[in-house]
Structure formats: C-alpha cells, structure tokens
Amino acid sequence: MELLIGQMFAGLSLGSVLLLAALGLSLTFGQMGVINMAHGEFIMAGAYTAFVVQQSLGSAGVSLLVSLPAAFLVGGVMGLALEGLLLKRMYHRPLDTLLVTFGVSLILQQVARDVFGAPSVDVRVPSWLQGNVELLGAPIPLTRLFILALALACLAALALLLKATPLGRRIRAVVVNRDLAEASGISSRRTDQLTFFIGSGLAGVAGVAVTLIGSTSPYLGPNYIVDAFLVVVAGGIGQIKGAAIAAFALGVLQSVFEFSTTASIGKVLILAAIVIFLQVRPQGIFTLKTRSLA
C-alpha cells in the first residue's frame, strides 16, 4: 500500500512538472498556432532567474518567493521580444515558426553558456521545503507537494483569466474567429502580444519549479520541450483542461512504466501509448470549436 501511494504520488508529481511546462505552450501553440521550440529555453531562463535572485538575496526562502514573479516577467519579456521581432511575420506558417524558434533556442543556449558557464548550478531549497510528510505511511517530499500546488494554482489562475476577464474573452474571441473579432473592435495584434507574454511567463515560473528538483544548466530546455508538446497534442490543441488531464495521465503512466521497467523503456512506452491514442482520437482529449472558415 505504501509503495502504491508513493508511486502514485511520484506520477502526480511528474504530471505537475509536465503541466507547468505545457501550460504556456498550450496558449502559444494551441491558441496562436506558433510552434515555439524556444519555450524550453524560456523555462531555462526562469531557472537561471531563480539562481541569480538567490545569489543576490541570500535567503533561500525569500528568494524563492521573489523568483516566481521575477521569472514570470523575464519569460514574458523574452516571449514578447521573440513575438515582436520574428513571429509576428509568421502567423499561419507553423513550419517557419518551428525552424526560426529552433534557431533561437540554440542561440539562447549559447548565451546561457557564455554567461553562466557550461557546468550546472544549483538553487538551494528553503528549509521549510526540506523533508517529507507521511501519507498513509508513504513519505511525500515537501518540494514535490509545493510544485503540485504551484501547478494547480497556475492552472486555476489561467482558467480564471480565460473565463472571467475581458482579456480572456478577447483571447477566446480571436481563437474562434480572428476576422470577426477584429470586425468587432478587438485588436488581434494586441491580444497576440499579451497571449505570448502570459504563455512565455508561465514557462519562466516552470523554470523556478524545476530548480527545486534538479540542477540548472544551458541544456535544461530540451529535457522538457518534447514532453510539453506531447501533453498539448494529447490534451487537444488549445484546451487547457485537456492539457491538465494529459499531463497528470502521462505522469502517472510514466511513473508506472519506469517502476516496472527502466527510465528509457518507460519513455518509449509512453511515446507508443500517445501514438496509439492519437490514432484513435487524433484531435486529442478535447476538441477546439471554432467558426473559422479556414
């Protein structure tokens, strides 16, 4: 029983990391049609932001709380710059966005190597997140609980933004029918910028979260970008609730597979499971309904 609970929580914990990495991507890829391969490097930028803030403030607890909004701003500004300088000319050309953002991701990795060096750096975990709590006899790490709570908080905030704010209504209107939204007085250009800022900012927050469970290096982004895309595709393009379900389902499945076999075989089994699922349901768990004639 303890082993089962521990394994289930490990899966939920892995799912929460996948959800944090995929939430922003669900906005930019799902709702704007941009294949942003630099999304992983925005996660890396968030992780290095946590490192820099901790080096500046010293206190691990205070620096973690300061790092979360700081990383959101850093990721958001980087995304806004990428959108304004390059991607705004490439909407409706997803393959071009893939190639361009892949090049940007390589540049950002080199910049990180030049600034911070190739070796990994560590961010200290606050004392109040060290240790475990017991759940029915199974030890549950506090850092994993914090990441799970952070992922659920980001999910709730994003859902509230899309459902209950004027900006969220503008974003949904542009997704459903861009031309009709513009005819109604909505600036799709402004909406695209804000959407990219929020999506990239969420990647920065994900970067802070991953510093609690591992080291930070210039190669951090590629570890998450493929899994994040798998979550978005399996959940349904542009579907936040689909991304949440897919992230936790893939996290639990991967935990079970890795426990039964090895990490490498577990990855292969997860990829095979997603391929089979998409053969049965190519639109993902949920389908985005639009009025677009395209």
Side-chain angles (χ1 to χ4, degrees):
M1 186 64 180
E2 296 175 11
L3 184 61
L4 177 64
I5 293 174
Q7 207 58 33
M8 285 297 296
F9 183 79
L12 291 176
S13 174
L14 178 58
S16 63
V17 175
L18 292 177
L19 178 59
L20 276 174
L23 268 182
L25 198 62
S26 183
L27 273 181
T28 56
F29 175 52
Q31 301 203 26
M32 297 172 64
V34 172
I35 302 177
N36 182 16
M37 295 300 291
H39 190 80
E41 276 59 48
F42 294 165
I43 295 175
M44 175 195 70
Y48 274 119
T49 300
F51 173 73
V52 171
V53 170
Q54 189 168 91
Q55 294 298 309
S56 303
L57 298 181
S59 169
V62 174
S63 68
L64 174 61
L65 299 179
V66 174
S67 296
L68 290 171
F72 181 85
L73 284 176
V74 169
V77 170
M78 290 176 68
L80 204 57
L82 177 63
E83 195 275 343
L85 293 175
L86 296 173
L87 297 181
K88 70 177 182 181
R89 302 176 178 84
M90 300 178 186
Y91 288 135
H92 310 298
R93 293 156 55 193
L95 292 181
D96 289 348
T97 63
L98 185 152
L99 294 174
V100 167
T101 56
F102 180 68
V104 171
S105 72
L106 296 179
I107 293 172
L108 291 177
Q109 288 177 28
Q110 184 60 49
V111 171
R113 276 194 294 270
D114 292 342
V115 175
F116 298 100
S120 301
V121 297
D122 291 313
V123 176
R124 285 181 288 113
V125 177
S127 58
W128 44 274
L129 281 181
Q130 295 176 3
N132 303 315
V133 294
E134 283 199 4
L135 178 64
L136 298 176
I140 307 296
L142 286 172
T143 51
R144 295 283 183 171
L145 273 178
F146 179 81
I147 294 174
L148 177 60
L150 181 63
L152 294 177
C154 289
L155 176 65
L158 185 58
L160 187 65
L161 171 75
L162 292 176
K163 293 290 184 183
T165 67
L167 173 59
R169 286 190 285 273
R170 288 198 296 272
I171 291 174
R172 286 186 286 127
V174 171
V175 171
V176 171
N177 192 315
R178 181 177 290 268
D179 293 336
L180 185 58
E182 288 180 344
S184 303
I186 295 174
S187 171
S188 61
R189 176 78 194 113
R190 181 68 173 164
T191 304
D192 288 341
Q193 289 176 317
L194 290 173
T195 302
F196 216 85
F197 177 82
I198 295 170
S200 302
L202 287 170
V205 173
V208 177
V210 300
T211 61
L212 298 174
I213 56 175
S215 299
T216 300
S217 77
Y219 315 105
L220 178 70
N223 294 333
Y224 292 97
I225 187 65
V226 174
D227 288 342
F229 270 112
L230 289 177
V231 167
V232 173
V233 172
I237 304 300
Q239 295 295 307
I240 302 299
K241 57 184 177 182
I245 294 172
F248 286 116
L250 292 180
V252 171
L253 274 178
Q254 185 167 333
S255 177
V256 171
F257 288 152
E258 290 183 358
F259 179 75
S260 307
T261 58
T262 64
S264 299
I265 295 178
K267 283 278 188 185
V268 173
L269 291 175
I270 278 291
L271 185 59
I274 292 175
V275 170
I276 293 172
F277 172 74
L278 292 178
Q279 292 298 312
V280 178
R281 194 171 173 80
Q283 71 272 33
I285 297 174
F286 295 104
T287 306
L288 181 66
K289 296 179 180 177
T290 77
R291 294 176 184 275
S292 173
L293 297 177

